[in-house]
Amino acid sequence: MEQLIEFYAKKTINPNEGYQFIKVESVYLPILQVHLGVTKRDYFCLPLLDEIVLRLLDEKVLEISELVGILGIDRNLLEVTLADLYVKDMIYCKAEHCSLMAKGRTALRDLSCVERSKECLKNVYLDPINNTVLSEYEHLNFIEKVYDDDKKMDADFDKDNLNVFKKNIDSIQKLFEDEMSIYQDTTKVKPSELLSIDEIEKVYPKFVKLSFAIFVSESGYDIDITAIDKNMEKLLTQYKGEIISQIRNHNILKKVFTRYVLKKRYDIPNYGENTDLTDLSKKYCMTPKGSTEKEEIKQAIEKNIYSNRKLRDTEFDYLFAFMCKSTDEFVINLDCLDDWCYGNDFFTMVLSKIGAKKLKQINYSNVRNLNICTKNINRTVKVTEAQLQQKQNLPYFSIEAESDWKIIIFPEDIPILDNNTHIYRYNYVLEQSNTSDQNK
C-alpha cells in the first residue's frame, strides 16, 4: 500500500506539449566489455645491488671474479643480478667479462630503471553504436542476457577492429591511469606510461535497459520519447535520435509499432480519474507516522482507490502489484486468446505476477488454435483444460480480483509513422464487478 500511495502522491508522466502519451516501453542498449591488451612502460627505483654493480662496472671493474671478491657475495647470487641487468640491456656479458651499456649509464645517473611490459585492461566498455569508449560506467546496471530480440538495439562491430580503440586513445589513457593508480607500488619513481594498444583479447556483450515514455503527435506521423527516470535522462538524450531512427526503420519494437489492426472497436466507458487520490496521498506522506489522522487518511485513500474510475498513466503496474499481494484469486477475461499468446510481454507479465496458485480461470470469446495457446500459456503458468473456458461477449482484456473488482483494458488503435503502422494506447478502467454492462 505504501508504494501505491507514493505513486499517487507524485507526478507520473510529464506532459509533452503537442504530443499524446501512448505508453512506457524499454529497449536494451548494447555495450561491449572488452579486455584490451596494451604495452606499458614502468619506471622503478634501482635496487641497491644493481646500483653497486653498475658503479663498479663504471669504475672499470669488469671481471666477474673481481666483482665477487669486492662484493663478498656468492657468485650464483651475483650471476642472477648480472643476468637481470643483461636482459634489461644495461650491461653486456661475455664469458667472464662484463661492460656497461648506454641504458646502464642512464639508470646509474637517474638511479632508476625502465621496463616495458604487457598489461590487460579489463574495464573497457565500448558503445558499438557510436564506436566510443565510455569514460563513466559505474552508474550503469549491466544486464548479461536479453531474450527479447525485438527490444535489442542494432549495432555493427568488428571484434578485430583495433582502430576503434586507437581513435578513443584519450578515454583509454584515462582508464589506464585509473587502473594503474589502484596498485600502490612503492618501487616506482613515476607513474606507468601507456605505450601502445596491441590487441583485443576478449569481448563480452552486455546491455543497459533504457525505459522511456512514447508520445505521438496529433498527426500521428511524428513520435517523441522522454525519460521516466531522472538517473537515465542523460543517457536517453544521448541515444534518443538513434532509438527513434531504429523504430522508424522497424529494427526494434516491431511488436509495439505493428502492422496488425484491431478487428473491432472497444468503446471506453465515461469514467474520469479520481483526482482526490493525489491530494489525499500527498497529505498522507506529510502526516506524522503513528498518528490517528494518518490512519484515517489511509482508509480514505483505500476507499478512493476502489471506485469506478479511469486509471492514471502508468498506474496499472502499481495497482496490479498491490492487488496481487492482497488478493487470493484472479480470473482473466479476454476477447481473442490468440492475440495474447504469441510473445505478448504484457500477458506474460500478468500471468507471472498472478502465478498458478492464484489463477482460477482464463475465459475467452474467440480462439484460432487452442492447443498452441495452451502450450504458450503453460510456459509461464501451468493451466488445465478446465481453467480455459470459452464464453461470449467478453472484453478485450480484463483482470477480475475475487469477483469484487476488475481492471478492464480498452485499446485505442492509433496510426503512427506511416499509413501501414499502428500502435495501441491502453486505457485502463477499474470497475466494480457487478457494474452494469451498459457502462462497458
Side-chain angles (χ1 to χ4, degrees):
M1 175 65 98
E2 296 296 325
Q3 288 183 335
L4 190 58
I5 292 174
E6 286 180 14
F7 166 80
Y8 292 129
K10 66 181 181 180
K11 289 183 178 179
T12 51
I13 302 299
N14 292 323
N16 194 348
E17 189 175 352
Y19 290 84
Q20 177 190 11
F21 170 73
I22 301 298
K23 63 184 305 187
V24 170
E25 264 300 340
S26 300
V27 297
Y28 293 88
L29 171 69
I31 299 292
L32 303 178
Q33 182 183 8
V34 181
H35 288 189
L36 210 56
V38 301
T39 299
K40 66 174 181 174
R41 179 162 56 204
D42 292 311
Y43 297 85
F44 293 98
C45 297
L46 196 61
L48 181 59
L49 182 57
D50 291 16
E51 179 188 345
I52 295 173
V53 170
L54 292 176
R55 287 194 184 280
L56 290 171
L57 293 176
D58 191 43
E59 295 294 333
K60 305 304 180 184
V61 181
L62 306 178
E63 299 298 326
I64 295 178
S65 57
E66 290 184 72
L67 293 171
V68 171
I70 294 172
L71 293 170
I73 62 173
D74 184 76
R75 181 184 177 97
N76 291 333
L77 177 59
L78 177 61
E79 287 180 348
V80 171
T81 301
L82 294 175
D84 184 50
L85 293 172
Y86 176 77
V87 170
K88 295 175 181 177
D89 292 331
M90 293 186 188
I91 65 172
Y92 177 75
C93 294
K94 186 176 182 181
E96 290 292 319
H97 185 81
C98 298
S99 59
L100 192 63
M101 299 179 69
K103 279 191 176 181
R105 291 189 179 90
T106 302
L108 191 57
R109 184 189 68 228
D110 299 336
L111 294 181
S112 65
C113 58
V114 180
E115 290 185 13
R116 291 164 61 101
S117 60
K118 298 291 185 180
E119 184 73 30
C120 179
L121 298 181
K122 296 183 178 181
N123 291 325
V124 179
Y125 291 92
L126 178 75
D127 162 18
I129 293 177
N130 297 318
N131 284 334
T132 56
V133 172
L134 304 181
S135 56
E136 297 179 1
Y137 54 83
E138 293 84 357
H139 65 289
L140 300 177
N141 294 318
F142 291 112
I143 301 171
E144 299 293 333
K145 291 183 179 180
V146 175
Y147 297 98
D148 190 349
D149 291 338
D150 190 44
K151 295 188 176 185
K152 292 181 187 177
M153 293 184 67
D154 283 352
D156 293 324
F157 175 71
D158 181 0
K159 65 178 182 179
D160 297 320
N161 186 5
L162 205 58
N163 289 329
V164 170
F165 299 97
K166 291 179 178 179
K167 290 178 180 178
N168 286 269
I169 185 62
D170 290 341
S171 297
I172 299 296
Q173 178 70 43
K174 184 179 183 303
L175 292 172
F176 173 80
E177 291 172 358
D178 290 345
E179 187 160 328
M180 292 301 104
S181 66
I182 296 173
Y183 308 103
Q184 301 295 327
D185 192 342
T186 57
T187 64
K188 289 184 179 180
V189 296
K190 59 189 295 188
S192 302
E193 294 179 358
L194 176 65
L195 295 182
S196 63
I197 300 172
D198 304 325
E199 62 176 332
I200 299 171
E201 295 183 0
K202 294 180 181 179
V203 178
Y204 299 96
K206 298 180 182 293
F207 299 90
V208 174
K209 185 178 181 180
L210 288 175
S211 297
F212 48 83
I214 299 176
F215 292 86
V216 60
S217 64
E218 293 180 1
S219 66
Y221 293 101
D222 187 23
I223 63 172
D224 191 21
I225 58 175
T226 61
I228 59 172
D229 184 352
K230 286 186 177 181
N231 295 327
M232 301 301 287
E233 191 169 357
K234 182 179 178 181
L235 194 64
L236 181 66
T237 301
Q238 185 178 347
Y239 294 97
K240 179 176 178 177
E242 181 65 26
I243 294 172
I244 292 177
S245 175
Q246 291 199 20
I247 289 174
R248 287 189 176 278
N249 293 329
H250 299 285
N251 295 329
I252 53 174
L253 300 182
K254 295 183 287 293
K255 291 187 289 188
V256 177
F257 296 83
T258 179
R259 307 286 186 180
Y260 179 78
V261 181
L262 287 174
K263 295 181 178 64
K264 65 181 184 181
R265 178 186 177 91
Y266 299 86
D267 293 327
I268 305 171
N270 190 26
Y271 291 139
E273 294 182 12
N274 189 325
T275 55
D276 292 339
L277 275 172
T278 301
D279 296 334
L280 285 169
S281 298
K282 287 181 178 179
K283 187 177 180 181
Y284 176 85
C285 293
M286 296 175 65
T287 304
K289 291 183 179 180
S291 64
T292 304
E293 184 185 5
K294 196 175 186 74
E295 186 59 33
E296 291 174 352
I297 296 171
K298 186 175 182 179
Q299 293 175 4
I301 290 173
E302 189 164 0
K303 182 179 179 181
N304 278 272
I305 287 174
Y306 288 107
S307 59
N308 291 346
R309 61 189 179 88
K310 180 182 178 182
L311 302 191
R312 291 167 56 178
D313 293 336
T314 72
E315 182 185 348
F316 171 81
D317 292 338
Y318 294 88
L319 180 60
F320 180 53
F322 171 71
M323 292 174 73
C324 285
K325 291 180 180 179
S326 57
T327 305
D328 294 325
E329 190 175 87
F330 289 91
V331 173
I332 296 176
N333 299 298
L334 47 89
D335 188 357
C336 183
L337 187 61
D338 305 82
D339 291 347
W340 300 95
C341 293
Y342 291 86
N344 188 290
D345 294 339
F346 177 81
F347 189 44
T348 302
M349 178 275 293
V350 169
L351 291 175
S352 62
K353 285 194 173 182
I354 290 175
K357 290 183 178 180
K358 292 187 177 183
L359 181 61
K360 179 182 178 182
Q361 200 162 307
I362 298 176
N363 300 319
Y364 61 91
S365 293
N366 303 288
V367 67
R368 293 185 293 275
N369 194 320
L370 182 58
N371 288 334
I372 293 180
C373 288
T374 304
K375 181 179 178 181
N376 289 342
I377 291 171
N378 281 327
R379 290 175 179 172
T380 307
V381 294
K382 299 298 181 182
V383 293
T384 63
E385 290 185 13
Q387 286 179 281
L388 296 173
Q389 296 291 322
Q390 189 165 21
K391 297 184 178 182
Q392 299 301 313
N393 301 320
L394 293 178
Y396 177 72
F397 191 98
S398 74
I399 306 168
E400 192 168 342
E402 292 182 342
S403 302
D404 293 328
W405 290 91
K406 55 188 174 184
I407 300 176
I408 312 172
I409 298 177
F410 295 88
E412 185 180 349
D413 191 332
I414 299 174
I416 197 168
L417 300 179
D418 53 50
N419 294 328
N420 300 315
T421 307
H422 299 255
I423 192 169
Y424 306 144
R425 171 181 165 82
Y426 284 169
N427 296 279
Y428 298 90
V429 166
L430 180 65
E431 192 175 80
Q432 200 163 11
S433 294
N434 59 7
T435 300
S436 173
D437 288 344
Q438 66 183 2
N439 293 328
K440 300 179 185 177

